[in-house]
Amino acid sequence: REMIHTNPTVLIDVPKIHEKSIIRLDTDEVAMLLDYIEHCGDTLTGQKRVFYEKTKERDLAIVTLLLGTGIRVSELQYITVEAIKLGEAAICMKGKNRTILIPGKLRKALWEYLQRQNITSGPIFITKNGNPLDRSNICKKMKALCSSAGVAAKKVFPHNLRHLFARCFYALEKDIAKLADILGHSSINTTRIYIVSTGLEHRRQMDTLGLIL
C-alpha cells in the first residue's frame, strides 16, 4: 500500500454554513408596518402631512411588491408600467436573466396605483428627479418608519421581506427547487438559508410528532 500525502477531499465543494443569527420579520410585524404607513398621517400637520400624503401610496406599494414577489430591492427598477401590463418583469442583472411573475391581486393593486399617480410608462418607483429609487432610498425610508410602527429596527430592511416571502411560499408549496427558481438562486443551498427553522420551531415540530407519551 502507498501512503497518500495529500487530502483529496479539499477538491470537493461543500455548502457554506450560515453562521449568522437569524433576525426575522414575521407577518404580524409586516401588518403593523403597513398599518402604520397607511394611518400615521392622521396625527401629522403642515408640511409633514403634505409629504406623507405624497409618499404614502408609493411606500405601501413598494412594501407590498417586495413581500408579494420576493424580488431583490435592486430589481425594483425593472418593475415598469409595461411589466405590470404583461403581468411579468424581465430581469437582467450580473449577466443573468430571469422573469418575475406578478400575481393577479398584486397586479391589480399596482395598476390602480399607476392610475391614481398618473404614471404611464417606465419604472413605477422613481425619485422626484425621475430616477429609479435605489436600495439606500428604500432602506432609509423603512428604518424611519419602523420605530414609530413598533417594529424592531434591526428587523426592518427590504431583504427581510424577501426572506418572509420565501418562508411563506415554502410553508405552502414545500418545493425548494421551485422557490430557488423564483428567487433567482443558482444554488439550492442559498435557498435553504432563507427557510431554515429556528430552534423554537424545531421543538414545536417535534412535539407535534406525538412520539412521547
Side-chain angles (χ1 to χ4, degrees), residues 29 67 69 105 110-111 125 127 137 141 143 151 156 171 195 200 205 212:
E29 289 168 324
L67 184 63
T69 61
K105 288 183 178 179
L110 290 174
W111 184 252
F125 301 118
T127 65
N137 296 136
K141 183 67 175 184
K143 291 294 183 184
V151 182
V156 182
I195 61 174
L200 178 60
Q205 291 164 354
I212 306 301

Side-chain angles (χ1 to χ4, degrees), residues 14 16 31 55 77 107 111 131 134 165 193 197:
V14 294
K16 294 180 180 179
T55 60
Q77 61 182 303
R107 182 185 178 193
W111 184 252
N131 300 316
D134 61 24
F165 167 86
I193 296 171
S197 299

Side-chain angles (χ1 to χ4, degrees), residues 9 21 32 47 72 78-79 90 94 97 105 112 119 127 133 137-138 142 154 167 177 179 190 192 199 201 213:
T9 62
S21 59
M32 291 167 61
Q47 288 300 314
R72 301 175 179 91
Y78 294 97
I79 305 300
K94 298 180 180 179
N97 299 308
K105 288 183 178 179
E112 291 174 351
I119 301 172
T127 65
L133 284 174
N137 296 136
I138 297 168
M142 290 183 69
K154 64 182 180 180
R167 296 200 307 276
L179 176 58
T190 302
R192 291 185 192 280
E201 288 167 335
L213 301 178

